[in-house]
Amino acid sequence: MNKSLDSHLALADARRLTQRVHFERDGTVTIASGKVDLGQGISTALAQIAAEELGVPLEKVCILPASTAYSPDEGVTSGSLSIQDGGKGLRKACAELRELLKRSGKRSYWELEVAGDIPAEAPEKPPAEYRLVGKSVPRLELPAKIAGEPSYVHDIVLPGMVHARVLRPPRPYARLVSLPAAPAGTEIVRDGSFAAVLAAREEDAIEAAKKLRAKAVWTDDARMPEDIYGWLKGHATENKVTKENADPVAKARGVKRLQAEYRKPFICHASIGPSCALARMEGEPLEVWSHTQGIFGLRQELAMVLRLPEERIVVHHAEGAGCYGHNGADDVALDAALIARMAKGRAVRLQWTREDEFAWEPYGPAMVVALDAQLDAQGNIVSWRHDLWSNGHTHRPGRASKPVLIAAGELAPPFERAPAIDPPLPAGGAQRNAIPGYEFPDLLVMHHYVREAPVAGSSLRSLGAFGNVYGIESFMDELALAANVDPVDLRLRHLKDPRGRAVIDAVVRESRWANWKRMEGKGHGIAYARYKNIGGYCAVVAEVEATHELRVRRLVAAVDVGLPVNPDGVANQVEGGCVQATSWALKEAWRPGALTWEEYPILKFSEAPAVEVHIVRNELPSLGAGECMMGPTVAAIANALCDAASTRSARRRCAWCSPKRGSSTRSTS
Amino acid sequence: MNLTVNGTAHAVAAKPDTPLLYVLRNELGLVGSRYGCGSGLCGACYVLIDGRPMASCDLPVSFAVGKQITTVEGLAAKGELHAVQRALIAEQAAQCGYCMSGIAVSAAALLAANKRPTEAQVRAALDKHLCRCGSHNRVVKAVLRAAHE
């Protein structure tokens, strides 16, 4: 692919990250990280960590695009763990190199033989001495993107490549019965129900695909249940206790009981650039270029479905449009590989259409969260029960003994596909953040896993935390109202963690919560969570207007992510997440048949709220920043809507996060 | 057919009804204009046709014959990025950046027509552009910054 690939092939078997740091002849340092840039700016932050620990200028450090040919297997770039885990490993490796240099007596890294004994217990730089980590630096790859230079997998051109379009039905249920003949100058490849059309020119592939799709015959036997929430509650296959702390004495002190149900619809990743991949299989190995979040997991899936040994497959990462979780990236990569297998040695570029992406991406799963709590005579919460129903939130390749990707189930004979699963806590999937961060004496959290999925779902930014935090934090406001306690006070009463209290204090202060003037049709609301209960802390205040139209006017977020490696990068992530969560809350609920931006609208420039981000700084270990704001933002908006709805003229206008609560809550759009 | 793109004339082999986007990307190698939806609904493929921002993904190439086509690659002049592009970088106004080419093109057209737009005018001018990363407010700040350069 490029010169760096060749120069690192020899290291393919090296296990130590230290040996992934290369001091090149031109005076630069190249690092093969296993983490990939998803538009979140991780390569800049990792370069900062390496430059800091090595003591070399930032501009000398280059993070290579990941490839199974030379990168360490650091799993999937997900879960806000790239800085937490990936950064930690890199820091250790660079500290080892610095120690090695010190012991060698050499003047520079470039004279060093790294192959020798690596000091395992090298001291890391104390944070107080940091000069680069903790400072805002501009994103290294941004200027090229803004100039319009080739930056994405979509822009890669391979010699002699042909353009492909897949031929799937416009609904994720139907199966292919028959296809007409390929239009002149194009070619159909087909294996079972998996089919694609190829052409030398992209526009010819597009035209041919349109014609073929219109005349293809598909079965149409399955339907999504009308009431997905009722369906989920009736189809639980496993009922597991996530956490139990029975305290019947405390529970008996309850004098007021509240129950409410909260519903989260299917939400699309809705990347601006539909998924794309390239593949080439001339002789061996099979090479695939993909914007996957996990190059090794994808390779494992490709090996399984194409029945090839993993050593004969190379997956190169190239950036895609922002994905915010598991979108069509892996599916399009398997599609491209299958097409390449039938393309007689030609390189294949497969671009999913916008309609393919909306119809076939793995949606963020729908969820039902039912809450049941008791207040004592002083307005303290003495008992809390949380029940959640959901499909699994992880359907990523490389985690099961069976394939998961769409095309695997379309081949002749088809593979049985593994269902989406939920990793165990503390990360969790559906049950992420289901355990409240507050101290309640009597506690029960139940996870009702639904194996059968009406449509395929997988990880969407923050996974189950979005639905769980939305439920918990909405319910906290309901309880505050019932107890006649200020919502901030009720939270602080039950929150012991000083870092959590500090972000609530910060957001209350910075938003001037106490100075809020009650106005007709307007409302404000607060919400808080610690992501995964072990990650970044975030509190959000939302101010909304709900009169003739619904608008989120202002969001104020306070976050504690430990030492922020690149503070402006953290602020950028939090701002962006707040805006995206606003879009989810106000506008988004996927329905079968939604195939275009008109049928699945997202927040526009004129609708974006003002966002202020306050970083509560400290020198504690860095925590991921990319997802912690999603749940608190939607819950703060929902609480603000309730506040506005308590004034006479407010009308609801949002897609699903309802200001009307309680067990009668319905989600409609 | 002959096209004038970023001030240079090109002979192209595409059929007249081919969407301009694919001619730019595949025939001329100008990949800065991105595919987003193919129906003019997201703004990722915007280019300037005689100075007017238009979607190139559903515009037949024949429509652009005899007109000045400016892509994101053509915004830079004399080796320096356009003021809007410089401001987008200065404000770190992107995450994945996929939508930014179209936004830069529309913002450049706005500033050419209106040297001192209000914030509301900037938002209105960019409303056809979808951004999924939520970089909206930084982009607006960048365009206002470029206007004051």
Side-chain angles (χ1 to χ4, degrees):
Chain A
M1 181 190 174
N2 53 33
K3 120 183 140 43
S4 37
L5 183 149
D6 297 328
S7 67
H8 285 79
L9 274 176
L11 290 179
D13 294 318
R15 274 174 303 173
R16 295 292 296 269
L17 187 57
T18 310
Q19 290 171 287
R20 311 289 174 166
V21 181
H22 257 229
F23 300 95
E24 307 286 352
R25 281 191 209 97
D26 63 0
T28 59
V29 188
T30 56
I31 296 170
S33 165
K35 296 294 182 184
V36 300
D37 217 308
L38 311 169
Q40 83 283 45
I42 204 64
S43 48
T44 303
L46 291 174
Q48 275 179 278
I49 289 172
E52 178 76 66
E53 206 63 44
L54 291 170
V56 302
L58 178 64
E59 56 273 16
K60 295 283 182 200
V61 179
C62 171
I63 305 286
L64 296 174
S67 169
T68 57
Y70 54 77
S71 296
D73 185 357
E74 292 189 70
V76 180
T77 302
S78 66
S80 296
L81 294 172
S82 297
I83 288 296
Q84 229 158 294
D85 296 353
K88 203 165 142 190
L90 183 60
R91 179 176 292 118
K92 184 172 187 298
C94 292
E96 288 169 2
L97 285 162
R98 200 162 43 118
E99 183 66 14
L100 195 65
L101 177 66
K102 201 172 129 193
R103 290 186 196 174
S104 72
K106 298 270 168 65
R107 282 172 306 163
S108 89
Y109 293 111
W110 283 264
E111 298 169 13
L112 208 56
E113 281 293 322
V114 183
D117 286 336
I118 295 161
E121 294 303 319
E124 291 175 16
K125 225 185 221 186
E129 288 175 23
Y130 284 167
R131 297 167 57 183
L132 196 53
V133 166
K135 288 223 166 60
S136 290
V137 305
R139 290 260 299 273
L140 300 172
E141 89 301 353
L142 198 56
K145 288 177 174 172
I146 300 291
E149 288 170 21
S151 302
Y152 305 97
V153 68
H154 309 71
D155 305 333
I156 295 174
V157 178
L158 296 175
M161 75 182 186
V162 289
H163 292 273
R165 291 293 182 277
V166 279
L167 300 168
R168 290 204 168 92
R171 297 166 306 281
Y173 316 111
R175 295 186 71 82
L176 182 58
V177 176
S178 73
L179 265 182
T186 68
E187 174 186 349
I188 291 174
V189 291
R190 181 173 172 179
D191 181 343
S193 268
F194 175 77
V197 61
L198 311 181
R201 295 184 67 101
E202 189 168 13
E203 60 270 24
D204 293 342
I206 294 168
E207 271 309 304
K210 271 186 201 156
K211 285 182 192 152
L212 291 166
R213 281 183 187 131
K215 289 185 183 162
V217 180
W218 321 91
T219 63
D220 195 6
D221 40 11
R223 291 270 170 212
M224 184 152 109
E226 280 293 314
D227 170 19
I228 183 64
Y229 306 109
W231 185 91
L232 282 171
K233 289 178 79 172
H235 285 77
T237 35
E238 280 173 55
N239 304 292
K240 290 175 283 193
V241 174
T242 301
K243 173 105 177 172
E244 186 170 20
N245 245 339
D247 186 344
V249 177
K251 191 174 180 178
R253 289 203 304 273
V255 294
K256 196 184 258 184
R257 180 179 180 188
L258 259 75
Q259 288 168 287
E261 190 173 288
Y262 301 90
R263 293 150 180 195
K264 186 231 136 188
F266 289 102
I267 292 178
C268 296
H269 298 78
S271 299
I272 298 298
S275 296
C276 179
L278 291 89
R280 180 169 58 196
M281 198 174 185
E282 48 183 340
E284 51 185 297
L286 164 68
E287 270 187 290
V288 175
W289 288 260
S290 166
H291 52 109
T292 175
Q293 288 175 275
I295 50 174
F296 289 94
L298 175 58
R299 183 177 67 170
Q300 190 182 319
E301 173 101 0
L302 293 172
M304 222 179 327
V305 178
L306 280 87
R307 301 185 198 283
L308 285 172
E310 285 188 24
E311 311 80 72
R312 284 175 57 191
I313 304 172
V314 178
V315 178
H316 306 289
H317 184 264
E319 268 195 69
C323 60
Y324 330 102
H326 181 203
N327 67 355
D330 294 290
D331 285 301
V332 78
L334 173 60
D335 289 353
L338 289 167
I339 297 168
R341 182 167 72 171
M342 298 185 274
K344 305 178 190 89
R346 287 168 296 175
V348 172
R349 175 183 180 274
L350 172 61
Q351 169 74 68
W352 268 15
T353 63
R354 166 57 48 206
E355 292 79 7
D356 290 333
E357 191 79 30
F358 271 131
W360 293 96
E361 68 145 283
Y363 313 105
M367 290 171 77
V368 180
V369 172
L371 294 163
D372 184 345
Q374 304 230 24
L375 291 161
D376 70 8
Q378 288 74 46
N380 299 308
I381 300 163
V382 289
S383 172
W384 179 279
R385 177 173 173 149
H386 181 133
D387 285 86
L388 76 98
W389 290 262
S390 175
N391 290 134
H393 282 242
T394 301
H395 207 215
R396 293 184 186 280
R399 297 199 177 175
S401 56
K402 290 178 195 154
V404 295
L405 298 177
I406 303 163
E410 298 174 327
L411 301 176
F415 284 86
E416 189 192 338
R417 291 164 68 198
I421 52 158
D422 291 306
L425 287 172
Q431 76 281 36
R432 184 173 292 179
N433 276 92
I435 300 172
Y438 303 106
E439 315 267 332
F440 303 135
D442 179 63
L443 177 70
L444 179 61
V445 179
M446 293 290 298
H447 174 197
H448 309 279
Y449 170 71
V450 184
R451 188 180 198 276
E452 185 189 339
V455 292
S458 191
S459 307
L460 172 67
R461 194 175 195 172
S462 82
L463 283 72
F466 184 71
N468 289 319
V469 172
Y470 162 55
I472 292 169
E473 289 297 298
S474 297
F475 199 46
M476 285 299 279
D477 265 36
E478 293 292 298
L479 289 160
L481 195 66
N484 200 22
V485 177
D486 179 83
V488 175
D489 291 345
L490 185 72
R491 285 174 173 81
L492 291 176
R493 262 189 210 186
H494 293 279
L495 183 60
K496 296 262 164 61
D497 190 331
R499 294 174 73 182
R501 297 176 68 92
V503 292
I504 291 180
D505 287 344
V507 85
V508 163
R509 184 177 64 243
E510 299 293 344
S511 68
R512 296 192 293 163
W513 174 264
N515 297 356
W516 175 258
K517 301 253 180 329
R518 196 165 167 74
M519 278 168 289
E520 197 55 42
K522 292 190 178 177
H524 74 159
I526 188 169
Y528 156 83
R530 180 178 194 191
Y531 188 48
K532 298 182 185 174
N533 298 21
I534 53 163
Y537 297 81
C538 180
V540 175
V541 165
E543 297 176 4
V544 305
E545 218 174 279
T547 49
H548 60 289
E549 60 175 347
L550 174 62
R551 293 189 76 101
V552 178
R553 288 291 179 194
R554 179 181 181 227
L555 294 170
V556 183
V559 296
D560 170 357
V561 291
L563 176 69
V565 174
N566 186 351
D568 187 59
V570 170
N572 203 348
Q573 280 288 302
V574 177
E575 279 170 47
C578 286
V579 171
Q580 191 176 79
T582 304
S583 184
W584 291 4
L586 299 192
K587 309 193 80 149
E588 301 184 34
W590 180 81
R591 294 277 185 281
L595 295 175
T596 68
W597 291 116
E598 280 172 330
E599 291 152 342
Y600 191 91
I602 61 172
L603 205 71
K604 295 192 289 189
F605 269 89
S606 57
E607 300 167 321
V611 183
E612 298 161 39
V613 177
H614 300 275
I615 300 175
V616 178
R617 282 192 74 131
N618 53 57
E619 288 183 356
L620 294 164
S622 302
L623 301 166
E627 302 172 284
C628 61
M629 77 303 286
M630 300 308 282
T633 301
V634 70
I637 291 171
N639 289 336
L641 283 173
C642 277
D643 187 40
S646 63
T647 69
R648 196 166 31 85
S649 63
R651 289 188 226 155
R652 80 188 246 224
R653 279 285 185 283
C654 62
W656 57 273
C657 85
S658 170
K660 230 177 103 204
R661 297 267 178 70
S663 33
S664 63
T665 302
R666 286 282 305 171
S667 301
T668 50
S669 58
Chain B
M1 269 180 303
N2 284 301
L3 288 185
T4 307
V5 183
N6 301 331
T8 306
H10 300 272
V12 299
K15 285 178 284 187
D17 61 347
T18 300
L20 174 62
L21 177 66
Y22 303 104
V23 179
L24 295 172
R25 289 184 59 89
N26 299 334
E27 225 174 307
L28 304 180
L30 296 168
V31 297
S33 308
R34 319 283 181 198
Y35 167 75
C37 69
S39 44
L41 293 172
C42 75
C45 67
Y46 266 43
V47 297
L48 302 180
I49 307 285
D50 284 342
R52 200 156 66 93
M54 293 182 80
S56 66
C57 69
D58 59 353
L59 186 76
V61 62
S62 56
F63 177 88
V65 172
K67 298 186 170 73
Q68 294 289 334
I69 305 163
T70 308
T71 69
V72 66
E73 293 93 339
L75 291 181
K78 293 174 197 154
E80 196 183 28
L81 292 178
H82 188 278
V84 163
Q85 292 171 303
R86 294 199 305 273
L88 287 169
I89 295 168
E91 294 290 343
Q92 293 287 292
Q95 283 174 37
C96 81
Y98 197 88
C99 63
M100 286 298 152
S101 300
I103 285 173
V105 160
S106 278
L110 170 71
L111 295 189
N114 179 357
K115 294 208 178 330
R116 288 281 184 275
T118 62
E119 181 178 331
Q121 286 170 329
V122 173
R123 286 185 190 271
L126 298 180
D127 241 13
K128 285 180 179 156
H129 294 273
L130 299 180
C131 165
R132 187 54 161 168
C133 296
S135 300
H136 306 72
N137 294 325
R138 286 184 178 225
V139 168
V140 171
K141 220 171 141 193
V143 176
L144 292 171
R145 177 186 183 134
H148 286 87
E149 260 198 5

